[in-house]
Amino acid sequence: MEKLIKFISRYAQLSPAAIAGLKCFAEEEKSKKNVLILNAGQVCHKIWFLTSGMVRKYQLQDGKERTCWIHFENEIFTSLDSYFSQTPSKDIIEACEESEIISISKEASKELARFPEFLSFTNALMGEQFASIDRVSKEFSFMDAKQRYNYLQKVSPKLFQKAKLGHIASIMGITQETLSRIRSKE
Amino acid sequence: MEKLIKFISRYAQLSPAAIAGLKCFAEEEKSKKNVLILNAGQVCHKIWFLTSGMVRKYQLQDGKERTCWIHFENEIFTSLDSYFSQTPSKDIIEACEESEIISISKEASKELARFPEFLSFTNALMGEQFASIDRVSKEFSFMDAKQRYNYLQKVSPKLFQKAKLGHIASIMGITQETLSRIRSKE
DNA sequence: GTTTTCTTTTGATGTAGATCAAAAAATCAT
DNA sequence: ATGATTTTTTGATCTACATCAAAAGAAAAC
């Protein structure tokens, strides 16, 4: 919980009351390796904070897994589409290894919105995420495979230390074979 | 202005005071054909509503124009990245034809945030945009050129009535020649 | 109504990355 | 350790789309 509070305070100063509220509404959970945190078809009611471990978000497309992103500790994750539109999720979220997560439900968020600091936190976070999604998705679309490789190594070095090749390739929008060949030519 | 109020009331019920505030802070502008609304390098301080006309958002990449999207009447637009991160824009926004727009500056937004209806409008809008960007960008990345063509025709038929082939192709992430060939095979 | 300019189409050729198949390497279970 | 399973690499071939070049068509200017 301390890690989450520290995370939030990078965006807004939390009053003791807000911290108490957070402790009351946020739930700490553990998830074992390969266990699903969210399955396709479910409506996503929560936003999660990853205290420790590694979590993968992917979709099934024609029977194939398409990895969207892999999160590491001190990151926030959810199924954006499902959470905000409250429709069944296409995203599947799974723990890649034993992970500790904190969940905040949509209702809890509404309660916490009574604290203005919390509201400015969520606003700042959403703005940051917006900017980041917009920027990264455009930059990515201009790059070829090699450039994406270099870019990803910069923005998420942990990915290359911990994730499987196939998953990294999928994030890059290429096949595992192509990524293997890129790597061998370095 | 009436169109904007109507647009907002799809998300939140506006009180007479909020409407008065909006009329006070929102600025109506006209933009002639091929005039830039936002240039690359500028920090974007506004969100715009397009009352009438047609507006294109693009970036320059290695001297080439890459069209991100084209907006039509009753749509909201801005440079997401620049507006939310307050960094110089890579996006260039231009009126493709004589257009009427309404601008709301970041400061005006802050003032208007005193009206809770306005806050719930922006929250709902941001949530919807989030969901939409997340969903569309993923769906798009799974599709080949022909599928993107069919998809775009569904979600933005106006695009095909009014925009140039080269711009549509650019949105699809392909060359104009390829789009021309796709069209000829229908 | 011609000429100029801009937009779209058509053709020939090139290439990044996909697909299929199988070997090699690494990890796991017993 | 030893075999079983998973992950990564390597090779051969294929394909969707890019690039370059030029013709055809449409729109704008005079």
Side-chain angles (χ1 to χ4, degrees), chain B residues 164-165 176-177 180-181 183:
Chain B
K164 289 181 197 167
L165 247 212
Q176 180 174 316
E177 291 95 323
S180 174
R181 282 183 251 265
R183 251 188 357 172

Side-chain angles (χ1 to χ4, degrees), chain A residues 138-164:
Chain A
K138 274 175 203 161
E139 283 176 353
F140 228 67
S141 75
F142 298 149
M143 295 178 195
D144 66 14
K146 185 70 213 295
Q147 292 170 317
R148 288 179 190 183
Y149 179 70
N150 295 332
Y151 183 83
L152 264 192
Q153 279 193 313
K154 247 190 242 156
V155 304
S156 187
K158 273 191 190 161
L159 202 59
F160 291 81
Q161 292 155 27
K162 297 182 75 183
K164 288 181 200 169

Side-chain angles (χ1 to χ4, degrees), chain B residues 32-85:
Chain B
K32 296 225 183 276
K33 185 172 176 174
N34 296 329
V35 167
L36 298 190
I37 295 166
L38 179 77
N39 202 172
Q42 297 176 233
V43 174
C44 177
H45 299 293
K46 294 177 177 176
I47 289 180
W48 293 274
F49 175 79
L50 185 55
T51 307
S52 74
M54 173 171 163
V55 157
R56 181 169 72 106
K57 184 156 77 176
Y58 66 96
Q59 296 193 186
L60 284 176
Q61 196 72 18
D62 311 319
K64 281 176 197 161
E65 286 186 4
R66 308 286 202 129
T67 299
C68 310
W69 197 249
I70 292 177
H71 292 278
F72 298 97
E73 60 175 28
N74 293 317
E75 290 180 11
I76 291 267
F77 64 93
T78 187
S79 168
L80 285 177
D81 182 13
S82 178
Y83 181 83
F84 286 108
S85 67

